[in-house]
Amino acid sequence: DGGITQSPKYLFRKEGQNVTLSCEQNLNHDAMYWYRQDPGQGLRLIYYSQIVNDFQKGDIAEGYSVSREKKESFPLTVTSAQKNPTAFYLCASSPIGDRGTYEQYFGPGTRLTVT
Amino acid sequence: DAKTTQPPSMDCAEGRAANLPCNHSTISGNEYVYWYRQIHSQGPQYIIHGLKNNETNEMASLIITEDRKSSTLILPHATLRDTAVYYCIAGGATNKLIFGTGTLLAVQP
């Protein structure tokens, strides 16, 4: 059963702690993305990666870090430097090719609450 | 990437066609129009995309005006399960999508 998995669905942390969100895909997609969504708002891009061992900052990368050691995995760490970490985090993936554009497939999301 | 403008909400009767408009007057020649939808507390779902020509798939039809400054997503026979926030996005080949606040479509029984 192909798709993108994110775990856990709900995550609670104390302020000042780093936390890592998992994202795995078995779609053989080259590109992976992390977005953040706040209540009533659209999605904002945090980081994206188009190839293993390489990634680029999105619009709101401050306070976050990522790694891409395997094609299938793109974990996101929310560090204590992120001032407002409570949000809904979404991971996505897409193929890359010579067609120029490809749709993104999203995981179910992780809702992070930091108190 | 071009900015898009959508109405914040729309209603549609179950079984009728839902027509969701989107303005993207600053779209550039190589930018595509994408539509995604998000059911409450789930990840967005890709619906359809196009460049110049009208497109149709099993979910919806996309009508793009000749000047490409606006488009309409058509759900031909809306069901209660189509209630969601619909995002219209204009983006290029970088695959960096900019999501606005979208249109909340409420399908009424």
mmCIF file of all heavy atoms in Angstrom, chain A residues 36-39 64 84-89 110-113:
data_model
loop_
_atom_site.group_PDB
_atom_site.id
_atom_site.type_symbol
_atom_site.label_atom_id
_atom_site.label_comp_id
_atom_site.label_asym_id
_atom_site.label_seq_id
_atom_site.Cartn_x
_atom_site.Cartn_y
_atom_site.Cartn_z
ATOM 1 N N ARG A 36 4.041 23.861 7.407
ATOM 2 C CA ARG A 36 3.395 24.141 8.693
ATOM 3 C C ARG A 36 2.048 24.809 8.406
ATOM 4 O O ARG A 36 1.935 25.651 7.492
ATOM 5 C CB ARG A 36 4.284 25.096 9.488
ATOM 6 C CG ARG A 36 3.645 25.684 10.713
ATOM 7 C CD ARG A 36 4.472 26.776 11.323
ATOM 8 N NE ARG A 36 3.702 27.418 12.386
ATOM 9 C CZ ARG A 36 4.164 27.614 13.614
ATOM 10 N NH1 ARG A 36 5.409 27.256 13.927
ATOM 11 N NH2 ARG A 36 3.417 28.181 14.521
ATOM 12 N N GLN A 37 1.022 24.432 9.195
ATOM 13 C CA GLN A 37 -0.298 25.056 9.048
ATOM 14 C C GLN A 37 -0.791 25.511 10.415
ATOM 15 O O GLN A 37 -0.852 24.712 11.353
ATOM 16 C CB GLN A 37 -1.299 24.093 8.413
ATOM 17 C CG GLN A 37 -2.634 24.746 8.092
ATOM 18 C CD GLN A 37 -3.561 23.826 7.333
ATOM 19 O OE1 GLN A 37 -3.574 22.618 7.546
ATOM 20 N NE2 GLN A 37 -4.361 24.392 6.427
ATOM 21 N N ASP A 38 -1.140 26.782 10.521
ATOM 22 C CA ASP A 38 -1.741 27.330 11.729
ATOM 23 C C ASP A 38 -3.248 27.435 11.533
ATOM 24 O O ASP A 38 -3.731 27.496 10.393
ATOM 25 C CB ASP A 38 -1.114 28.682 12.042
ATOM 26 C CG ASP A 38 0.349 28.539 12.432
ATOM 27 O OD1 ASP A 38 0.587 28.043 13.544
ATOM 28 O OD2 ASP A 38 1.238 28.879 11.624
ATOM 29 N N PRO A 39 -4.020 27.481 12.618
ATOM 30 C CA PRO A 39 -5.489 27.461 12.504
ATOM 31 C C PRO A 39 -6.018 28.527 11.551
ATOM 32 O O PRO A 39 -5.662 29.701 11.656
ATOM 33 C CB PRO A 39 -5.936 27.707 13.947
ATOM 34 C CG PRO A 39 -4.826 27.184 14.782
ATOM 35 C CD PRO A 39 -3.567 27.493 14.026
ATOM 36 N N TYR A 64 13.918 25.372 12.714
ATOM 37 C CA TYR A 64 13.705 24.000 12.258
ATOM 38 C C TYR A 64 14.989 23.458 11.638
ATOM 39 O O TYR A 64 15.820 24.219 11.152
ATOM 40 C CB TYR A 64 12.602 23.943 11.199
ATOM 41 C CG TYR A 64 11.249 24.416 11.649
ATOM 42 C CD1 TYR A 64 10.816 25.718 11.374
ATOM 43 C CD2 TYR A 64 10.394 23.564 12.341
ATOM 44 C CE1 TYR A 64 9.575 26.156 11.788
ATOM 45 C CE2 TYR A 64 9.141 23.998 12.752
ATOM 46 C CZ TYR A 64 8.742 25.300 12.468
ATOM 47 O OH TYR A 64 7.508 25.721 12.874
ATOM 48 N N ASN A 84 7.167 29.739 18.139
ATOM 49 C CA ASN A 84 5.753 29.325 18.206
ATOM 50 C C ASN A 84 5.598 27.957 17.541
ATOM 51 O O ASN A 84 5.077 27.852 16.435
ATOM 52 C CB ASN A 84 4.866 30.354 17.505
ATOM 53 C CG ASN A 84 4.898 31.707 18.166
ATOM 54 O OD1 ASN A 84 4.502 31.860 19.309
ATOM 55 N ND2 ASN A 84 5.387 32.695 17.445
ATOM 56 N N PRO A 85 6.049 26.894 18.198
ATOM 57 C CA PRO A 85 6.087 25.590 17.534
ATOM 58 C C PRO A 85 4.744 24.880 17.442
ATOM 59 O O PRO A 85 4.602 23.957 16.639
ATOM 60 C CB PRO A 85 7.055 24.790 18.404
ATOM 61 C CG PRO A 85 6.948 25.430 19.746
ATOM 62 C CD PRO A 85 6.706 26.871 19.511
ATOM 63 N N THR A 86 3.774 25.272 18.243
ATOM 64 C CA THR A 86 2.477 24.589 18.227
ATOM 65 C C THR A 86 1.807 24.827 16.882
ATOM 66 O O THR A 86 1.529 25.972 16.506
ATOM 67 C CB THR A 86 1.578 25.104 19.362
ATOM 68 O OG1 THR A 86 2.156 24.716 20.604
ATOM 69 C CG2 THR A 86 0.180 24.520 19.251
ATOM 70 N N ALA A 87 1.560 23.740 16.146
ATOM 71 C CA ALA A 87 0.986 23.844 14.805
ATOM 72 C C ALA A 87 0.715 22.447 14.269
ATOM 73 O O ALA A 87 1.046 21.440 14.894
ATOM 74 C CB ALA A 87 1.945 24.578 13.850
ATOM 75 N N PHE A 88 0.105 22.405 13.071
ATOM 76 C CA PHE A 88 -0.139 21.168 12.335
ATOM 77 C C PHE A 88 0.963 21.074 11.284
ATOM 78 O O PHE A 88 1.127 21.973 10.473
ATOM 79 C CB PHE A 88 -1.535 21.251 11.699
ATOM 80 C CG PHE A 88 -2.021 19.989 11.057
ATOM 81 C CD1 PHE A 88 -1.855 18.755 11.666
ATOM 82 C CD2 PHE A 88 -2.711 20.037 9.855
ATOM 83 C CE1 PHE A 88 -2.344 17.589 11.084
ATOM 84 C CE2 PHE A 88 -3.205 18.867 9.261
ATOM 85 C CZ PHE A 88 -3.019 17.656 9.877
ATOM 86 N N TYR A 89 1.730 19.982 11.309
ATOM 87 C CA TYR A 89 2.857 19.834 10.400
ATOM 88 C C TYR A 89 2.536 18.778 9.347
ATOM 89 O O TYR A 89 2.125 17.658 9.670
ATOM 90 C CB TYR A 89 4.118 19.439 11.170
ATOM 91 C CG TYR A 89 4.639 20.578 12.018
ATOM 92 C CD1 TYR A 89 4.178 20.751 13.321
ATOM 93 C CD2 TYR A 89 5.551 21.492 11.510
ATOM 94 C CE1 TYR A 89 4.646 21.808 14.097
ATOM 95 C CE2 TYR A 89 6.014 22.546 12.272
ATOM 96 C CZ TYR A 89 5.549 22.701 13.570
ATOM 97 O OH TYR A 89 5.997 23.760 14.331
ATOM 98 N N THR A 110 1.024 15.744 11.482
ATOM 99 C CA THR A 110 1.278 15.596 12.917
ATOM 100 C C THR A 110 0.887 16.898 13.600
ATOM 101 O O THR A 110 1.346 17.972 13.202
ATOM 102 C CB THR A 110 2.767 15.311 13.200
ATOM 103 O OG1 THR A 110 3.103 14.004 12.721
ATOM 104 C CG2 THR A 110 3.056 15.367 14.701
ATOM 105 N N ARG A 111 0.037 16.779 14.604
ATOM 106 C CA ARG A 111 -0.371 17.972 15.350
ATOM 107 C C ARG A 111 0.508 18.073 16.587
ATOM 108 O O ARG A 111 0.422 17.241 17.487
ATOM 109 C CB ARG A 111 -1.850 17.887 15.726
ATOM 110 C CG ARG A 111 -2.417 19.212 16.200
ATOM 111 C CD ARG A 111 -3.931 19.181 16.268
ATOM 112 N NE ARG A 111 -4.575 18.977 14.975
ATOM 113 C CZ ARG A 111 -4.783 19.928 14.079
ATOM 114 N NH1 ARG A 111 -4.397 21.168 14.311
ATOM 115 N NH2 ARG A 111 -5.390 19.650 12.943
ATOM 116 N N LEU A 112 1.362 19.088 16.625
ATOM 117 C CA LEU A 112 2.309 19.297 17.716
ATOM 118 C C LEU A 112 1.782 20.372 18.656
ATOM 119 O O LEU A 112 1.407 21.466 18.213
ATOM 120 C CB LEU A 112 3.677 19.708 17.164
ATOM 121 C CG LEU A 112 4.729 20.117 18.193
ATOM 122 C CD1 LEU A 112 5.127 18.926 19.058
ATOM 123 C CD2 LEU A 112 5.968 20.696 17.497
ATOM 124 N N THR A 113 1.772 20.049 19.935
ATOM 125 C CA THR A 113 1.394 21.017 20.959
ATOM 126 C C THR A 113 2.548 21.158 21.936
ATOM 127 O O THR A 113 3.001 20.163 22.510
ATOM 128 C CB THR A 113 0.131 20.572 21.713
ATOM 129 O OG1 THR A 113 -0.933 20.410 20.774
ATOM 130 C CG2 THR A 113 -0.260 21.614 22.754
#
